[in-house]
């Protein structure tokens, strides 16, 4: 099986220490490496991630605005709980904005971005879904969505979609062991990536809308 992509490798060169801290902790939170409700031990986390306490605290402030952590006076900072009841609201936003991002990426992506999407599609096409770790497969899902958002060329749209995709991914990871068809959810990305790379905006938007709808339906089947 292809190695799961490094979520911090694609567009993260030259980041500030605070931005790097934010993204590293964010990805531990959305993949539930930091469990919902768990306390954030700043000293241990700074050592583990090889980042300073000051940039870590700056990152945690941003993560609180993203609803991924919550701070209480005299108690400390904790990972937020995953609220399944927010699924419909999150999906409503994604159903409107994800197809827009796919369409913009198909229309406006640079040649470099299109090449990256094709490489990602090729990696996904080579996956052995039957023997793959579901957590590793989900890293492909995250990488695909972030690559599409970036290819759309609108940093404001990219920022909004990453935030809501992060909340959706946390729900997905919470029920991951109950989902029987994770590999199918991931491998269907290859067709979408090729549609965007080939500039087929209508097909890209259609496939994206179906993908987001299927995500919500899959979650609901195991709740």
């Amino acid at each position: 099986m292809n190695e799961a992509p490094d979520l911090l490798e694609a567009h993260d060169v030259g980041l500030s220490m605070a931005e790097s801290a934010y993204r590293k902790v964010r990805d531990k939170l959305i993949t539930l490496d930091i469990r919902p409700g768990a306390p954030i031990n700043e000293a241990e986390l700074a050592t583990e991630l090889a980042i300073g306490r000051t940039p870590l605290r700056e990152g945690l402030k941003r993560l609180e605005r993203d609803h991924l952590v919550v701070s209480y006076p005299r108690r400390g900072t904790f990972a937020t709980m995953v609220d399944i009841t927010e699924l419909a609201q999150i999906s409503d936003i994604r159903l409107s904005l994800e197809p827009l991002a796919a369409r913009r990426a198909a229309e406006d992506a640079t040649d470099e971005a299109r090449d990256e999407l094709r490489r990602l599609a090729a990696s996904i096409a080579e996956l052995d879904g039957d023997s793959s770790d579901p957590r590793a497969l989900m890293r492909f899902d995250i990488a695909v969505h972030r690559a599409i958002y970036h290819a759309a060329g609108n940093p404001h749209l990219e920022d909004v979609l990453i935030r809501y995709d992060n909340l959706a991914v946390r729900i997905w990871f919470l029920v991951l062991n109950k989902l029987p068809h994770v590999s199918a959810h991931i491998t269907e990305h290859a067709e979408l990536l090729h549609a965007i790379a080939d500039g087929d905006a209508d097909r890209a938007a259609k496939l994206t809308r179906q993908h987001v709808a299927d995500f919500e339906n899959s979650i609901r089947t195991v709740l």
Side-chain angles (χ1 to χ4, degrees):
M1 181 192 114
N2 286 353
E3 184 178 352
D6 183 345
L7 298 180
L8 292 174
E9 69 179 359
H11 313 294
D12 298 346
V13 176
L15 296 178
S16 69
M17 289 187 291
E19 183 69 22
S20 179
Y22 164 76
R23 297 190 186 195
K24 287 178 179 179
V25 180
R26 176 196 65 189
D27 290 340
K28 290 179 72 65
L29 288 161
I30 68 172
T31 60
L32 306 191
D33 287 337
I34 299 175
R35 299 296 301 176
I40 305 295
N41 186 312
E42 292 185 12
E44 291 182 1
L45 198 54
T47 299
E48 177 187 348
L49 299 178
I51 52 181
R53 295 284 290 275
T54 297
L56 176 59
R57 286 172 182 155
E58 292 178 19
L60 290 173
K61 289 178 182 177
R62 288 182 60 189
L63 291 165
E64 189 162 18
R65 293 195 293 269
D66 290 349
H67 305 291
L68 293 174
V69 302
V70 59
S71 296
Y72 300 102
R74 296 180 297 279
R75 288 182 55 198
T77 302
F78 299 80
T80 55
M81 301 302 294
V82 178
D83 188 352
I84 298 292
T85 65
E86 293 182 345
L87 176 61
Q89 297 166 324
I90 293 169
S91 295
D92 192 37
I93 294 169
R94 296 181 70 221
L95 280 168
S96 296
L97 296 183
E98 293 264 359
L100 173 63
R103 179 177 293 279
R104 290 290 180 266
E107 293 171 342
D108 300 331
T110 64
D111 290 343
E112 181 181 2
R114 293 179 197 277
D115 289 343
E116 180 183 344
L117 296 178
R118 290 190 178 97
R119 286 194 295 270
L120 194 50
S123 295
I124 290 171
E126 295 174 0
L127 290 172
D128 181 358
D130 293 334
S131 63
S132 298
D133 174 9
R135 289 182 59 84
L137 287 172
M138 280 303 299
R139 295 179 73 83
F140 278 96
D141 181 89
I142 298 168
V144 165
H145 284 277
R146 291 184 185 174
I148 293 171
Y149 305 156
H150 188 73
N154 183 333
H156 300 290
L157 180 62
E158 180 179 9
D159 181 63
V160 169
L161 277 172
I162 286 176
R163 290 180 63 186
Y164 284 101
D165 186 58
N166 288 342
L167 297 176
V169 166
R170 288 189 91 208
I171 295 174
W172 189 271
F173 269 93
L174 191 68
V175 298
L176 191 57
N177 293 334
K178 300 178 182 179
L179 294 168
H181 304 301
V182 176
S183 61
H185 175 82
I186 305 306
T187 54
E188 70 184 30
H189 282 105
E191 184 179 4
L192 168 59
L193 290 167
H194 281 299
I196 295 173
D198 294 342
D200 191 338
D202 289 341
R203 182 160 180 75
K206 179 181 178 180
L207 289 171
T208 300
R209 176 172 288 276
Q210 186 61 54
H211 177 74
V212 174
D214 287 347
F215 164 82
E216 182 177 5
N217 292 335
S218 295
I219 297 294
R220 294 195 180 282
T221 63
V222 298
L223 295 181

